[in-house]
Amino acid sequence: MKKVRKAVFPVAGLGTRFLPATKTVPKEMLTVVDRPVIQYVVDEAREAGIEHFIFVTGRNKGNIEDYFDLQFELNETLAQRGKTAQIELLQSMQPAAGTTSFTRQQEPLGLGHAVWCARDLVGDEPFALLLPDMIMRSNISCMRGMVELYEETGSNVIAVAECDPAETHKYGIVGAGEKAGAGFEITGMVEKPKPADAPSNLYINGRYILQPEIFGLLATQARGAGNEIQLTDAMLRLGDTQRLFGYHYRGETYDCGSPEGFVEANLAFALGRADLRPQIETIVRRLAG
Ligand code: G1P
């Protein structure tokens, strides 16, 4: 069984739910507490054993690449001023040379198309896919749990969580079959169904481990919901020849693509920090009162 070494991050989205901020700042670079959203997602991947980070970007997203580069002048200045804590913080997050790749989606044709743009960078091996709108908090990270299920099954793993049954039209929704190890067999999948047409309330929460055969299917995938090339539709076809396992994630998920989810993420992560919790609790109490 091939190890999952590479992760794809589709970061080309325009962030229209977050204007005017996203006119010039990529939504993935908006900060939750003191670091950009994309840092949390890359950390989750690294913690799960990922060695190479592939970003599918677009125009106006250049500072994502700069962010993951070594900032030589900054490091020099910090060193001259003896700021060792900051130097160590930056070092702990710095991807090693040669472990990041960037390509551009060029046209906003949907998630399926964005993933397809990474085909040559991924090559012929299974890969992780992490949608950076979603950031997560749990004891065992979502991707780590998925890698364990992949090591058990050797197939495709799609993470799901429970959503409000009235909100199925916002997500990809799966049908759940038999339990299989730590996961379950996926029996169906539909992108953004109306509640009446949804097979369950288990929504795809933005974390996937996929076999490279998905790329051939994406190349011929017809447009689906929203007139976009949908990854969900191609995964459903992948299910004709390979097994698809659901991983039921039980931790917290914050949708940073919407202002309310973003504010919630800021509060949750700030309250989760021992150094900030007391002040934040006081501030929230004062503002709410
Ligand atoms: C995408 C996927 C959808 C998934 C969602 C999670 O939709 O197509 O299946 O549930 O991400 O965020 P998008 O949010 O890009 O419309």
Side-chain angles (χ1 to χ4, degrees), residues 111 131 134 171-172 191-192 203-206 208 230 232:
L111 177 61
L131 308 192
M134 301 298 201
Y171 305 107
E191 185 66 18
K192 306 201 169 77
Y203 79 101
I204 300 172
N205 72 354
Y208 313 75
Q230 294 292 352
T232 303

Side-chain angles (χ1 to χ4, degrees), residues 6-17:
K6 298 181 181 176
V8 174
F9 304 89
V11 290
L14 294 174
T16 49
R17 287 191 291 167

Side-chain angles (χ1 to χ4, degrees), residues 17 27 110-112 131-134 158-159 168-173 189-192 202-208 228-233 235 253 255:
R17 287 191 291 167
K27 61 178 174 172
L111 177 61
L131 308 192
D133 276 352
M134 301 298 201
I158 300 162
T168 57
H169 62 285
K170 294 185 177 173
Y171 305 107
I173 305 289
M189 225 181 306
V190 40
E191 185 66 18
K192 306 201 169 77
L202 293 174
Y203 79 101
I204 300 172
N205 72 354
R207 301 290 186 268
Y208 313 75
E228 292 186 335
I229 299 171
Q230 294 292 352
L231 176 65
T232 303
D233 297 341
M235 291 193 302
T253 301
D255 182 357

Side-chain angles (χ1 to χ4, degrees), residues 194-215:
K194 293 196 192 96
D197 303 329
S200 74
N201 71 332
L202 293 174
Y203 79 101
I204 300 172
N205 72 354
R207 301 290 186 268
Y208 313 75
I209 292 174
L210 295 171
Q211 298 297 319
E213 286 73 21
I214 192 74
F215 293 120

